Amino acid sequence: MNLDEPKPEETVAAQDAIGPLATLPLAFRVAGRTAVIAGGGDGAAWKAELLVAAGASVVVFATKPSRKLIELAARRPAVRLEPRAWRPDDLTGASLAILEAEDQNEARAFRAAAQAAGAPVNVVDKPEFCDFSFATLVNRSPLVVAVATDGASPVFGQAIRARIEALLPASFADWAAAARDWRRRLAPLGLDFRQRRHFWERFVDLALASGERAPEPEDFRRLADAEADSAVPKTGRILLVGGGPGDPDLLTLKAVRALQTADVVLYDDLAPPRVLEMARREARRIDVGKRGGRESTSQAEISALAVALALEGKTVVRLKGGDPSVFGRANEEIAAARAAGVPIAIVPGVTAATAAAAELGVSLSDRLLARRVQFVTARGQDGRLPQGLQWAAMVDPDVTTCVYMGVRALPELTARLIAEGLDGDTPAVVVENVSLAGSRRFAAPIRLLPERVAEARPTGPCLLIYGRALAGAAA
Ligand code: SAH
């Protein structure tokens, strides 16, 4: 029985030909069956615990059981401790046989006895005697992910497990359990093959997008109703996703999940290719940045496009550089979505200023030198220095100032800052291409910085940071 083989209506992509496998991972049901363990160490205790979690009854033969094993047997009625050495006939009827022992002869004898009884064998830490090994687990039961390296490197396997662990919200256990329940409830509804397949696709989208909560009965009704009455208009949604400064390692887990549920990704020049690669393979990617020398798509056009796609029922990811709420014009997209009744949510990201601080190895705030940190944009609507900058705040010596979109107006900006009273020796840095290959930094007292930057002719995005707390970075 292939419980987890996709049913035809759930198959999304054709499977590629399978390369060689060191082992065949199987999901083995042991509930209600008996496993025999011989040996009394902590390895035996751990295997017993795992088997009991999977519903097996476990008999452990041990002349000297460890404290852990004794405690386990006291705690778990499904574990029976036999205070004697194992005998070959103990293995009769066992569904799995496990030995923890140092002695090679004992291992050989145990393996022979288990084989005679028809039980697959595992000898702890002796792969040459094993029919099977225990994989490292990510437990979202009934969803279980197993990582196995055939003994090549258990530590590597555990590191991979940790990564997968971080990617799968705890609630996936509830979603997987709901799927089992809903499969039963779907059967009598009389949906055809295509509708069932569509139901499960939408179930997956919903589960992947709703990691922070468990499924609700309402979810089943909505998914099922949408299939039963395909005339019901579906509304998608918009996610304003912070893509960070460029390095995909700086994406949040939530951003990765959003990208992997997207039907459409709207991106612009600030979205680095390696971040875009994290999007679901089937997602349509639309460049709303500069096109072949033409002007960028206007903000109003982008908002309208996102809304139109969401109204078609699509999950639209509007991928932004850095954090969407920092100079990302997010309010305009939020207003457009709300006006059209389209759900919209923000997924925060690492903004250029904090990523630059990390790269420079400095803190933006400082207990003595900078009790305030401010993010400022130095580009007004016409591309020049904006009107209405609060110059008193801009030249406050106790502040670290991060200037976004500030290089073009750098000479004008620094001249004005010094004229308004900023010390010309204030440490200042321009960082180009933060977190990306080809990142450069130009550090100088602020009065000399425009000259330094002009010589270097940066072409990537640049962030200016100045203030006394930057002394370490300017060195
Ligand atoms: N929402 C973005 C900022 C958008 S405004 C964020 O939170 O980072 C665009 C400006 O951000 C650029 O002109 C530049 O000043 C800064 N910026 C964005 N990514 C950057 C990067 N990788 N390196 C340096 N500056 C960057």
Side-chain angles (χ1 to χ4, degrees):
M1 191 165 53
N2 287 338
L3 278 180
D4 276 324
E5 276 279 285
K7 311 276 178 295
E9 72 261 27
E10 291 179 29
T11 310
V12 179
Q15 195 123 29
D16 294 332
I18 298 171
L21 290 169
T23 57
L24 180 67
L26 301 168
F28 193 49
R29 275 196 174 158
V30 293
R33 308 181 67 180
T34 302
V36 170
I37 299 181
D42 286 351
W46 170 240
K47 301 283 154 27
E49 178 129 40
L50 201 58
L51 285 159
V52 170
S57 306
V58 182
V59 188
V60 186
F61 296 94
T63 43
K64 277 187 252 134
S66 70
R67 168 183 292 273
K68 210 164 159 186
L69 200 51
I70 294 168
E71 281 170 6
L72 180 69
R75 199 154 36 87
R76 296 287 215 163
V79 177
R80 197 176 89 225
L81 203 49
E82 292 284 344
R84 62 169 174 84
W86 67 275
R87 290 190 299 257
D89 61 356
D90 291 328
L91 293 166
T92 310
S95 61
L96 293 171
I98 296 147
L99 172 73
E100 186 182 22
E102 289 312 315
D103 181 27
Q104 300 273 330
N105 289 329
E106 185 178 0
R108 204 165 294 122
F110 185 84
R111 182 175 167 79
Q115 281 180 329
V121 189
N122 174 275
V123 181
V124 177
D125 290 338
K126 293 196 171 48
E128 66 276 24
F129 293 104
C130 289
D131 293 322
F132 68 94
S133 55
F134 287 84
T136 306
L137 299 182
V138 179
N139 183 3
R140 303 286 184 273
S141 182
L143 173 72
V144 181
V145 183
V147 180
T149 64
D150 192 29
S153 174
V155 174
F156 192 23
Q158 278 155 20
I160 301 294
R161 186 200 72 88
R163 290 208 159 187
I164 298 174
E165 186 77 55
L167 274 177
L168 305 185
S171 72
F172 278 10
D174 303 314
W175 285 93
R180 178 152 60 194
D181 180 30
W182 295 358
R183 178 180 300 290
R184 242 177 277 127
R185 291 172 52 190
L186 201 59
L189 297 188
L191 301 180
D192 66 18
F193 175 86
R194 195 193 50 80
Q195 288 172 315
R196 281 200 310 273
R197 175 181 166 148
H198 194 228
F199 174 93
W200 288 114
E201 282 172 359
R202 301 210 328 136
F203 169 86
V204 170
D205 286 347
L206 186 65
L208 292 179
S210 311
E212 69 286 352
R213 68 171 179 91
E216 289 151 16
E218 189 55 26
D219 293 322
F220 176 80
R221 237 166 292 135
R222 259 203 302 270
L223 290 175
D225 288 352
E227 296 316 323
D229 178 8
S230 355
V232 173
K234 305 168 283 169
T235 313
R237 61 210 175 99
I238 301 175
L239 295 167
L240 297 179
V241 174
D247 178 354
D249 279 358
L250 294 178
L251 284 169
T252 64
L253 294 173
K254 202 164 180 176
V256 172
R257 284 187 209 130
L259 283 164
Q260 289 180 356
T261 57
D263 294 311
V264 186
V265 182
L266 305 182
Y267 68 98
D268 53 41
D269 315 324
L270 268 182
R274 287 176 58 216
V275 168
L276 204 54
E277 268 170 28
M278 305 296 289
R280 196 159 71 100
R281 206 157 33 107
E282 299 80 7
R284 215 174 117 205
R285 292 149 166 83
I286 302 178
D287 183 357
V288 293
K290 298 210 172 51
R291 287 191 199 141
R294 270 199 349 195
E295 267 300 278
S296 316
T297 315
S298 78
Q299 185 55 53
E301 284 170 328
I302 297 171
S303 301
L305 179 60
V307 165
L309 288 163
L311 288 173
E312 281 173 25
K314 305 266 190 315
T315 296
V316 181
V317 163
R318 170 70 177 108
L319 185 61
K320 302 262 188 186
D323 185 290
S325 67
V326 178
F327 307 125
R329 301 186 70 170
N331 276 345
E332 291 159 68
E333 297 186 27
I334 292 166
R338 296 221 168 118
V342 170
I344 183 163
I346 298 182
V347 177
V350 174
T351 191
T354 52
E359 211 161 280
L360 294 168
V362 295
S363 169
L364 295 176
S365 66
D366 184 282
R367 227 154 46 85
L368 300 174
L369 301 174
R371 295 180 163 276
R372 192 152 60 83
V373 177
Q374 58 191 359
F375 294 174
V376 180
T377 172
R379 191 160 80 206
Q381 297 202 322
D382 56 358
R384 303 205 35 186
L385 264 195
Q387 300 298 308
L389 279 178
Q390 297 295 317
W391 292 103
M394 298 288 289
V395 303
D396 183 343
D398 292 328
V399 177
T400 301
T401 304
C402 306
V403 185
Y404 289 71
M405 298 176 274
V407 268
R408 214 180 304 167
L410 189 63
E412 196 185 342
L413 175 66
T414 48
R416 180 73 188 267
L417 287 171
I418 290 166
E420 296 282 345
L422 184 74
D423 181 351
D425 284 328
T426 302
V429 190
V430 163
V431 195
E432 180 190 12
N433 284 325
V434 171
S435 88
L436 293 166
S439 173
R440 294 193 293 174
R441 64 185 73 159
F442 315 105
I446 197 157
R447 66 191 157 82
L448 301 177
L449 194 61
E451 204 180 318
R452 283 275 286 115
V453 171
E455 280 165 14
R457 291 171 202 268
T459 51
C462 284
L463 187 82
L464 162 67
I465 312 181
Y466 64 89
R468 292 185 298 164
L470 268 281

